[in-house]
Each structure stands twice: as structure tokens, then as C-alpha cells.
Amino acid sequence: MSFDDLIDRRGTHCNKWDGMEDLYGVPSDTGLAMWVADTDFRAPDVVLNKIRNLADDGVFGYVNCDEVYKGAIQWWMKTRHNWEVEADAIFTTTGLVNGVGMCLDTYTQPGDGIVLFTPVYHAFAKVIRNAGRKVVECQMINNEGRYELDFDAWDAQMTGSEKMVILCSPHNPGGRVWSQAELQGVADFAKRHDLLLLSDEIHHDLVFSGHTHIPMQNAVPEITDRLLMLTAPSKTFNIAGLHTGQVIIPDPDLRARFRARMLALSLAPNSVGQFATAAAYSPEGAEWVDAQVAYLDGNRQIFDAAIADIPGLSSMKLESTYLAWVDFSGTGMERAEFTNRVEQTARIAANHGPTFGTGGENFLRFNLGTQRARVEEACARLKSAFGDLQ
């Protein structure tokens, strides 16, 4: 469990490291990749050993491992989140963005409005638009560096053409762990406007001390008849490339509609991803996750302290995730200038805030899921790039 071991992912067809020069102009040989939301940590041994055993067996034919796979998911959700999940409620998709696409395809029509609380994970808007649906942006309140929900304003925005709201819980990129009252507010909003509620909870295992994630089904059981839940082991265990995520549907009628659509498209899960998930969702995996969260918390504290030392910059205090959301508005700089300093002077590739929707214009998102030496190097580079402000 040594998260400090430097792993060079350059030249491995890695999106994050091999793709940053083309996209951001940050040189691959000297740049720091802090954009794509995967980590630079090896998966836990319990996962690696399972994949090695599969390779040693050498037979990759059709399998049915639902009992082991779904049983592990049920154990994990109960043990880690006090959430009882029915086996029949679990559907496997090719990752969570595919899960969003499948839910849009199953339950909405082209032209329908899909509500997003922005700024929020950029892939949501992309898949909504690609599906021919309409993105309805409801901007959150940034209250002194902490996002809050603004239902009064959003109620006034609704036109009746909206059919679904997508919640990111915990929130990416702001790192909020929503409270019971806030989750109740989201559920009430969905009911008032007759919206399906799609709750993306992919970051639910990466929550820092002092905060507790509440699964939406637990928080507001009465929302079950319009609730769709998304989970995955990908962020938790750094196995996103196995493209295995879950859509969990508590309501039998919604479940039947989703199952019919899956059957019509003849979609079936990847067995390696299923076995890896079952291995990860185990006591050994839990021990590894606890160690990782403690390590990420250390990275967060180092990064936040460095940002606080640069006049005009501020980072939202993360309650969850390894994705730092940094506000550059206090510098008085235009977006092009502060972005250029980060990319060309500091040689850091970070996600551009506007891609997360309204409210993200003066932000960049930095991935802290890497070795501490790289986080410290990023801090030094940022201090140097904005040294004239100090």
C-alpha cells in the first residue's frame, strides 16, 4: 500500500499523460497531468491477483458470475454505506457515463430537458447533448467557497419540459458531501416538477474524516419510485479502464423498463470487470481504500496550503473526491491569462472550468490522485508561475 511509489504512465496509451500535449499544449516529457479523473496508483493487490489468476487460467469464454459479482456489491454497500441493495436492482453498464446514456435512452425522449446543478461533471452535458436532449443549467450558489443549492431560483426556471435531474453526490468538482436536508431538498424538487432523479454516487467511497455520504435511497426512501442510482468501483480502485459500472434501480417498474432496453440492445457486462469488482469489494479492498483516503487527505492539505499562499487563488475545501477546484477570480486576470500561466509556465494540465457549465468560468480542476512528490512539485510550479502576485 505504498502510494508514494512513482509510476511513469507515459508511453502506455494513457489518456491523462499521453494526451495532455495535444489537448493542452503541455509537454508530455516535463508536464504534470492533473486533468483526467483517474489516479496514478496501482490497483490493490486483491484486484491485481484476481486478474493475474484469470490470465493464468487462459480461458476467456462466456461466464455467469452474477452471484459472486452482485453479492460483493451488496456486501460493500451494506458494510460501507449501510445501504441494502437488492440483487435484481443491479444492472451493469460500460462505466457510468454509459449508464447516464442508457438512462436517458430508456426514460426520456429527444428534446426533453435534463436538469444539471452547475458547475458539475462535464461528461453529463456532453452525453445529454449527444443524445439530442436539452441541458437545463441550474447554477449553484458559491457561498464563500462552498456550494449551496438554490431551489427557489430553480423552481422559477422550470418550464414543464424537463424530465430528469442528475445529481452528483458527492459533488464533482466542488467536493461537497450533501447533507440529509440537502438530499431531501433535491428529492422534493424532483417531485414538485415530476422529474426522474438520477443520482451519480461514484465518489461515495472517497469521503474525508468528519463527513458521511448518505446514499439517496437511504436519505429519502419515498423517492424510490423515481430514483436511479449510479455506482462504480472505478474511481475508488483506479480500474476505470475496465469500464464496469452499475445502475441500481430500486423500483420494479423502472427496473423492468431498463431491463427491456438492455435486452433490446443485447448489452452484457465484461467478465474481467465483474471479477475485478468482486475482488475489490472485499475486506482487503476496504483496507486499501481507507489507506488511500488518508493519503489523499494529506495531498489535499498540502495543495490547499500552497494555493492559500498565492494571493488571488482559493481552493474549495474538499469534503470528498481527489479533485481540487481552484478559483482564480481573485487575481483579476482574464481566463486566458491564468490558464496560460498554469499550462505554459507551470506546465500543468488541468481541466478548464467552463466545461463544467455555468459558474465554472474562473476555475480550473486539479487531480490530486497522484504521488505526493508530484503534488508538491505542482505546488512549487504554481507558486512560481504566480510569483509576481506574492
Side-chain angles (χ1 to χ4, degrees):
M1 270 190 254
S2 179
F3 297 100
D4 280 324
D5 291 345
L6 284 175
I7 298 171
D8 188 358
R9 300 178 68 191
R10 296 176 179 88
T12 64
H13 307 286
C14 168
N15 283 349
K16 184 164 69 174
W17 287 89
D18 292 333
M20 65 177 166
E21 189 160 6
D22 286 343
L23 191 58
Y24 295 103
V26 176
S28 60
D29 55 344
T30 60
L32 290 174
M34 303 183 80
W35 58 297
V36 173
D38 62 18
T39 70
D40 293 320
F41 307 135
R42 286 189 179 89
D45 284 345
V46 67
V47 172
L48 297 178
N49 289 336
K50 182 60 182 179
I51 294 174
R52 290 187 187 107
N53 289 340
L54 292 172
D56 288 343
D57 287 344
V59 178
F60 297 95
Y62 296 114
V63 300
N64 183 350
C65 59
D66 269 6
E67 185 175 352
V68 171
Y69 166 72
K70 291 186 176 183
I73 294 169
Q74 290 176 289
W75 178 86
W76 185 265
M77 299 309 167
K78 175 60 179 175
T79 303
R80 303 290 287 188
H81 300 290
N82 194 32
W83 176 25
E84 299 275 3
V85 176
E86 294 180 65
D88 286 347
I90 302 170
F91 297 87
T92 302
T93 57
T94 309
L96 284 207
V97 178
N98 172 245
V100 173
M102 282 296 303
C103 289
L104 291 172
D105 185 68
T106 303
Y107 303 109
T108 70
Q109 298 296 322
D112 285 347
I114 310 300
V115 177
L116 298 178
F117 302 147
T118 65
V120 72
Y121 178 43
H122 48 76
F124 291 158
K126 185 180 295 184
V127 72
I128 290 167
R129 293 189 177 104
N130 287 341
R133 277 64 169 171
K134 177 185 171 185
V135 175
V136 179
E137 292 191 339
C138 290
Q139 185 178 353
M140 293 185 291
I141 297 170
N142 183 349
N143 185 2
E144 298 183 352
R146 189 172 190 266
Y147 282 129
E148 296 178 354
L149 308 175
D150 189 5
F151 297 112
D152 289 340
W154 302 341
D155 283 339
Q157 281 186 241
M158 298 298 102
T159 66
S161 64
E162 300 82 11
K163 301 301 179 185
M164 180 182 289
V165 57
I166 301 178
L167 176 69
C168 198
S169 177
H171 182 252
N172 167 16
R176 278 297 317 278
V177 175
W178 304 115
S179 69
Q180 170 69 41
E182 288 168 322
L183 295 173
Q184 182 69 58
V186 172
D188 291 343
F189 175 80
K191 287 190 288 187
R192 278 197 303 277
H193 300 286
D194 194 21
L195 305 173
L196 288 172
L197 172 54
L198 181 59
S199 186
D200 171 12
E201 308 197 2
I202 194 171
H203 293 282
H204 62 176
D205 292 313
L206 305 174
V207 175
F208 299 122
S209 178
H211 304 279
T212 301
H213 170 77
I214 309 172
M216 179 57 83
Q217 189 182 357
N218 284 4
V220 193
E222 63 269 25
I223 199 73
T224 292
D225 63 346
R226 62 179 71 243
L227 179 62
L228 310 165
M229 304 277 287
L230 300 179
T231 66
S234 50
K235 304 300 182 189
T236 308
F237 298 97
N238 200 28
I239 54 175
L242 295 179
H243 290 283
T244 302
Q246 294 83 44
V247 178
I248 299 177
I249 307 175
D251 180 74
D253 292 336
L254 291 176
R255 193 184 301 172
R257 292 171 63 185
F258 196 84
R259 180 180 293 109
R261 195 66 186 131
M262 293 279 285
L263 290 171
L265 295 174
S266 192
L267 296 178
N270 164 356
S271 61
V272 176
Q274 287 184 296
F275 281 122
T277 298
Y281 285 160
S282 63
E284 297 90 339
E287 183 181 1
W288 186 88
V289 171
D290 290 340
Q292 179 188 210
V293 170
Y295 189 87
L296 292 172
D297 194 24
N299 283 357
R300 173 183 67 91
Q301 293 179 46
I302 289 167
F303 187 81
D304 284 354
I307 293 298
D309 281 343
I310 303 174
L313 273 64
S314 62
S315 56
M316 285 197 169
K317 183 173 175 57
L318 294 181
E319 300 169 356
S320 178
T321 85
Y322 49 75
L323 303 167
W325 190 232
V326 179
D327 185 355
F328 290 80
S329 60
T331 64
M333 296 178 184
E334 296 292 328
R335 182 163 58 87
E337 181 179 355
F338 68 71
T339 301
N340 185 71
R341 288 193 186 208
V342 171
E343 293 176 352
Q344 302 308 313
T345 306
R347 304 187 310 284
I348 299 173
N351 293 97
H352 294 178
T355 64
F356 295 83
T358 304
E361 295 81 5
N362 293 310
F363 286 82
L364 292 174
R365 192 189 75 173
F366 294 80
N367 181 344
L368 306 182
T370 191
Q371 286 70 34
R372 187 151 299 157
R374 287 180 175 142
V375 173
E376 291 170 342
E377 174 64 18
C379 292
R381 292 187 186 191
L382 289 170
K383 286 183 177 182
S384 177
F386 294 90
D388 57 317
L389 302 181
Q390 299 174 54

